[in-house]
Amino acid sequence: MTQDDAPNWDAQLAATVAAEVRRRRKELGMSAQDLADACEQIGYPVPRNVIANMESGRRTTLPLPDVMVLAEALDTNPICLLYPVGYAETAPMLPDRDPVNTWTVLSWFTGEQNTGNGDALSLYRLHQAVVESAQRATGRAQDHRRQAADARDPGERAEALRSAEQYEQRAHDDHAYLGRIRAALREDALLLPQLPLGLDSIDDSPPTVNSPEDKDK
């Protein structure tokens, strides 16, 4: 196949999305009309004939809003339509380049590869991870407190209380770490992610920080 015969980059992207839309649609037992109806309900129509032309290859361009709405209608993520890890071995990355491993392209697209604005992305991902850790620790501490309250055996009660205290300490450490991460975001003039209920008091006395990546809390 000559270079002129090869499909161009945007057509390759559209073909990748089309193949995954068709695969996912069939997996869900949806017809093209079902998918069009689902897009209509979301509030951004993607007509059945557009879906059919896309899946058949007659439509070689695919606007990003269409990808986003189709992903929602198919109960998946837009990135999974663009780079279907597990279903496509390779995917097109940029024009005039050979397709590369799908996971590699997905990691590049989502910023897992620390380039450019990667520092900001790393801080936001770290923030989310610590929020989730703090919430898990708090929930488990509460579970163990309830177990201690219900326990009749003194040994079981003591063990449950010890576990509760350990998780409470872990939550306390996570809260402190989260405060340092948010201080780093402020120092870099970045927008602060919204804190969930139970963690919103962290900003009442924001700490200063030199290195939020230091995990020695």
Side-chain angles (χ1 to χ4, degrees):
M1 178 182 292
T2 67
Q3 185 173 359
D4 291 338
D5 293 332
N8 57 30
W9 174 63
D10 55 343
Q12 288 179 321
L13 282 174
T16 298
V17 174
E20 182 58 16
V21 166
R22 180 170 58 251
R23 186 202 66 77
R24 178 63 176 162
R25 176 176 64 76
K26 291 183 177 180
E27 181 178 68
L28 296 176
M30 300 174 71
S31 67
Q33 185 60 57
D34 292 334
L35 181 53
D37 292 343
C39 293
E40 178 76 30
Q41 291 175 1
I42 292 170
Y44 188 91
V46 181
R48 187 200 63 78
N49 67 309
V50 170
I51 295 171
N53 288 335
M54 175 188 66
E55 292 187 2
S56 67
R58 291 190 297 272
R59 188 183 192 214
T60 58
T61 59
L62 197 59
L64 181 58
D66 287 17
V67 176
M68 297 169 67
V69 172
L70 286 167
E72 177 68 15
L74 291 166
D75 193 25
T76 187
N77 299 311
I79 192 68
C80 293
L81 297 182
L82 284 165
Y83 305 118
V85 170
Y87 299 99
E89 184 174 354
T90 62
M93 183 171 177
L94 290 170
D96 299 324
R97 298 190 188 182
D98 292 332
V100 298
N101 178 271
T102 305
W103 177 252
T104 299
V105 186
L106 185 146
S107 299
W108 167 77
F109 191 91
T110 59
E112 297 291 338
Q113 298 177 16
N114 194 4
T115 58
N117 199 33
D119 289 344
L121 289 173
S122 295
L123 279 175
Y124 275 82
R125 288 194 174 100
L126 184 60
H127 185 282
Q128 182 60 30
V130 178
V131 164
E132 293 173 358
S133 176
Q135 290 177 317
R136 285 194 301 270
T138 299
R140 289 172 181 172
Q142 292 171 346
D143 290 341
H144 285 292
R145 288 286 177 186
R146 284 191 291 267
Q147 291 174 12
D150 294 338
R152 296 183 178 181
D153 180 78
E156 291 180 0
R157 183 181 303 111
E159 180 62 29
L161 287 174
R162 279 194 296 270
S163 295
E165 290 169 358
Q166 289 173 353
Y167 280 114
E168 286 164 355
Q169 182 61 51
R170 185 176 303 178
H172 178 271
D173 292 344
D174 283 338
H175 290 190
Y177 190 27
L178 193 57
R180 298 200 297 274
I181 296 170
R182 293 177 72 81
L185 290 169
R186 289 188 189 90
E187 289 176 2
D188 291 343
L190 297 172
L191 296 174
L192 294 179
Q194 185 174 358
L195 288 167
L197 291 177
L199 295 176
D200 45 1
S201 63
I202 288 173
D203 287 334
D204 291 346
S205 300
T208 58
V209 61
N210 292 323
S211 179
E213 287 78 12
D214 182 4
K215 291 182 171 58
D216 294 330
K217 308 183 183 82

